[in-house]
């Protein structure tokens, strides 16, 4: 199992027609957890991997990858998509106790990147996993 940080910008990215912020993520995790997300490149995600969502501010949500990334020929900017299911309980825990950028050990910000081992310990603890 791999863990990935997926960075969203609430001022630019939308989910379900709403800004991709912690309120939207928490609502979707409880009401409509299955979704798919854009990827700018394929990555090596596999079913069972986890996506940890980070926003412009220290806020988080978590999902489990349901399938391997697939090509999306209709979107040249984000040529791949991946299906994932938001996890309600861990997302709720992270909503109440978000993880900050400094705790994630983020260097250069890319849209999707692997979670560093030190950051994974913090994410797992805060999410109750």
């Amino acid at each position: 199992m791999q863990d990935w940080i997926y960075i969203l910008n609430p001022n630019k990215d939308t989910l379900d027609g709403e800004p991709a912020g912690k309120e939207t993520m928490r609502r979707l995790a409880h009401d409509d957890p299955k979704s798919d997300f854009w990827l700018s490149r394929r990555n090596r995600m596999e079913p069972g991997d986890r996506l940890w969502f980070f926003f412009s501010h220290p806020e988080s949500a978590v999902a489990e990858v349901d399938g391997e990334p697939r090509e999306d020929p209709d979107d040249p900017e984000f040529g791949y998509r991946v299906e994932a299911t938001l996890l309600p309980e861990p997302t709720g825990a992270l909503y109440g106790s978000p993880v900050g950028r400094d705790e994630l050990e983020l260097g250069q910000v890319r849209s999707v990147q692997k979670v560093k081992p030190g950051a994974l310990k913090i994410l797992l603890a805060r999410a109750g996993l």
Side-chain angles (χ1 to χ4, degrees):
M1 176 192 307
Q2 299 273 343
D3 288 270
W4 305 84
I5 297 273
Y6 190 109
I7 298 176
L8 291 168
N9 179 345
N11 297 320
K12 183 173 129 184
D13 299 317
T14 60
L15 291 171
D16 203 25
E18 298 178 37
K22 69 179 187 175
E23 298 291 338
T24 301
M25 295 300 274
R26 185 172 76 157
R27 182 185 58 74
L28 290 174
H30 288 278
D31 298 343
D32 190 16
K34 293 216 176 268
S35 190
D36 65 37
F37 299 92
W38 292 311
L39 300 170
S40 58
R41 56 192 178 111
R42 182 162 172 76
N43 296 306
R44 298 195 186 275
M45 292 177 192
E46 296 181 5
D49 285 359
R50 279 187 295 243
L51 291 175
W52 298 88
F53 295 89
F54 180 77
F55 308 97
S56 299
H57 303 288
E59 304 158 354
S60 303
V62 65
E64 184 173 291
V65 174
D66 295 328
E68 291 185 20
R70 65 188 187 289
E71 287 191 55
D72 183 357
D74 296 330
D75 191 344
E77 184 178 358
F78 297 100
Y80 298 93
R81 297 183 78 83
V82 64
E83 293 179 8
T85 301
L86 290 162
L87 305 177
E89 289 79 19
T91 296
L94 289 166
Y95 178 89
S97 182
V99 179
R101 179 187 172 88
D102 57 330
E103 296 173 285
L104 291 175
E105 304 172 14
L106 290 176
Q108 179 183 5
V109 176
R110 294 185 306 261
S111 60
V112 178
Q113 57 195 334
K114 288 188 180 179
V115 176
K116 294 183 180 176
L120 182 57
K121 291 179 187 176
I122 295 167
L123 287 167
L124 291 171
R126 297 263 181 91
L129 294 173

